[in-house]
C-alpha cells in the first residue's frame, strides 16, 4: 500500500478482554516496529520484526503482550486480559532494511474501560 | 542506554517569526538523531535525520537542525514559520549501529503553536 495502515483506528474494550491490533506495512518493507505512546509522552519501543522473525521484544511490558508477523508482511499485536493501564496509542512503523528513519502509521487508540 | 530531553513542552510563536525547538540527548555511544512531526490525527512523519557528515542537516518544510556533539544537542530551527507548522515535534535518538535495526528513544515532544 501507499502507507502503513493500522486497524482499527479506535478500540474501546472492557477490562479483562483480549484485543488484537493490526498493522499492514508498506509493500516491500521488511522491517516492522511496534511502539506505544501514552498521553503526553513520546512513543516507546515494544518490539521489532525483520521479515517474519521477531528480532527484539525487549520493550513488551509483560507476558500479556505478544506480537506476530507470520508471513513477513501483516503484523498483529495482541494484548490479553487488558487492564486500564494498557490504554494508549499503539503505533506501527516499517522501513526498508538499512534505511534509517521509519514510516509510521496513524496508530490505534486503545481505551480500556 | 540513550535518553532524550525536550525541555519545552509548548512553544508559542507568531506567524513568520523564527523558531527553535530544543533537544538534548544522553548516550555513552555514538548516535543517530531524528526529528519527527505529528500533525493532528496523523502519524509521525520524519522531518530530518543526522547519521554522519555535515552537522547541519536540512529537512522537509524548511526545517533544519544542527548536531552539536560537545553540547549533546540537536536543536530544530526554522527561519519563518507558517500556521500550518502547528504540530507536535519529537526528537529521537538511536545507537549508530550498522545493523539496519533501530530502536528509537523519543523525547516527550514539543507542541509548536503558530498564531497569526
Amino acid at each position: 500500500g501507499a502507507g502503513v495502515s493500522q486497524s482499527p483506528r479506535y478500540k474501546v474494550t472492557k477490562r479483562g478482554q483480549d484485543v488484537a491490533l493490526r498493522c499492514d506495512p508498506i509493500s516491500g518493507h521488511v522491517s516492522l516496529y511496534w511502539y506505544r505512546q501514552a498521553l503526553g509522552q513520546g512513543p516507546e519501543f515494544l518490539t521489532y520484526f525483520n521479515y517474519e522473525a521477531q528480532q527484539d521484544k525487549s520493550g513488551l511490558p509483560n507476558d500479556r503482550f505478544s506480537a506476530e508477523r507470520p508471513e513477513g508482511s501483516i503484523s498483529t499485536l495482541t494484548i490479553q486480559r487488558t487492564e486500564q493501564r494498557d490504554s494508549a496509542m499503539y503505533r506501527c512503523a516499517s522501513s526498508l532494511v538499512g534505511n534509517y528513519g521509519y514510516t509510521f502509521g496513524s496508530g490505534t487508540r486503545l481505551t480500556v474501560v | 542506554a540513550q535518553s532524550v530531553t525536550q525541555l519545552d513542552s509548548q512553544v508559542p510563536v507568531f506567524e513568520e517569526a523564527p523558531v527553535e525547538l530544543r533537544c538534548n540527548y544522553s548516550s555513552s555511544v555514538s548516535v543517530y538523531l531524528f526529528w519527527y512531526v505529528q500533525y493532528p490525527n496523523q502519524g509521525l512523519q520524519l522531518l530530518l535525520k543526522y547519521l554522519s557528515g555535515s552537522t547541519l542537516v536540512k529537512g522537509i518544510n524548511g526545517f533544519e537542525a544542527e548536531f552539536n556533539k560537545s553540547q549533546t544537542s540537536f536543536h530544530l530551527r526554522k527561519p519563518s514559520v507558517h500556521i500550518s507548522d502547528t504540530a507536535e515535534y519529537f526528537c529521537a535518538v538511536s545507537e549508530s549501529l550498522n545493523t539496519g535495526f533501530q530502536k528509537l528513544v523519543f523525547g516527550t515532544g514539543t507542541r509548536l503553536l503558530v498564531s497569526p
Side-chain angles (χ1 to χ4, degrees):
Chain A
V4 179
S5 178
Q6 292 187 249
S7 60
R9 192 72 188 272
Y10 303 92
K11 178 69 176 179
V12 180
T13 189
K14 290 185 177 180
R15 189 177 47 173
Q17 296 293 308
D18 298 349
V19 294
L21 311 181
R22 174 188 163 118
C23 173
D24 193 350
I26 292 173
S27 179
H29 279 196
V30 300
S31 299
L32 186 146
Y33 302 80
W34 284 99
Y35 281 74
R36 178 170 72 172
Q37 186 175 9
L39 208 59
Q41 301 294 317
E44 289 184 305
F45 172 81
L46 293 177
T47 187
Y48 154 70
F49 290 85
N50 198 26
Y51 295 97
E52 72 281 359
Q54 190 171 19
Q55 304 279 25
D56 187 324
K57 56 181 181 179
S58 61
L60 296 177
N62 51 60
D63 60 8
R64 293 187 298 107
F65 287 73
S66 63
E68 62 175 9
R69 194 187 184 196
E71 297 179 0
S73 179
I74 292 170
S75 177
T76 302
L77 177 70
T78 301
I79 309 173
Q80 296 179 310
R81 305 181 303 281
T82 52
E83 301 176 5
Q84 284 190 317
R85 60 177 171 157
D86 299 333
S87 296
M89 176 72 83
Y90 289 81
R91 297 193 181 276
C92 176
S94 69
S95 74
L96 296 167
V97 173
N99 187 25
Y100 299 95
Y102 324 142
T103 300
F104 279 90
S106 297
T108 293
R109 181 163 297 283
L110 175 66
T111 303
V112 182
V113 297
Chain B
Q2 294 80 46
S3 67
V4 175
T5 301
Q6 292 183 250
L7 286 173
D8 305 307
S9 60
Q10 190 165 292
V11 173
V13 65
F14 288 110
E15 193 174 20
E16 298 183 6
V19 70
E20 178 180 85
L21 305 183
R22 296 181 293 167
C23 172
N24 287 88
Y25 70 93
S26 173
S27 176
S28 57
V29 298
S30 296
V31 296
Y32 296 145
L33 293 155
F34 306 82
W35 275 98
Y36 281 84
V37 60
Q38 183 182 343
Y39 298 104
N41 299 317
Q42 295 187 28
L44 291 158
Q45 180 180 4
L46 181 65
L47 265 181
L48 49 79
K49 60 190 176 188
Y50 171 78
L51 303 180
S52 64
S54 172
T55 57
L56 183 63
V57 179
K58 293 190 183 297
I60 61 172
N61 301 339
F63 283 93
E64 63 180 32
E66 185 156 20
F67 170 55
N68 187 319
K69 189 174 181 179
S70 63
Q71 297 187 2
T72 60
S73 68
F74 191 55
H75 300 332
L76 182 70
R77 302 185 184 99
K78 186 170 183 178
S80 175
V81 295
H82 303 292
I83 297 284
S84 59
D85 291 324
T86 295
E88 184 117 27
Y89 292 79
F90 291 93
C91 182
V93 64
S94 73
E95 285 188 42
S96 58
L97 300 172
N98 191 25
T99 61
F101 160 52
Q102 306 165 267
K103 180 187 296 187
L104 292 180
V105 176
F106 284 85
T108 52
T110 297
R111 186 171 298 278
L112 177 64
L113 296 169
V114 183
S115 54

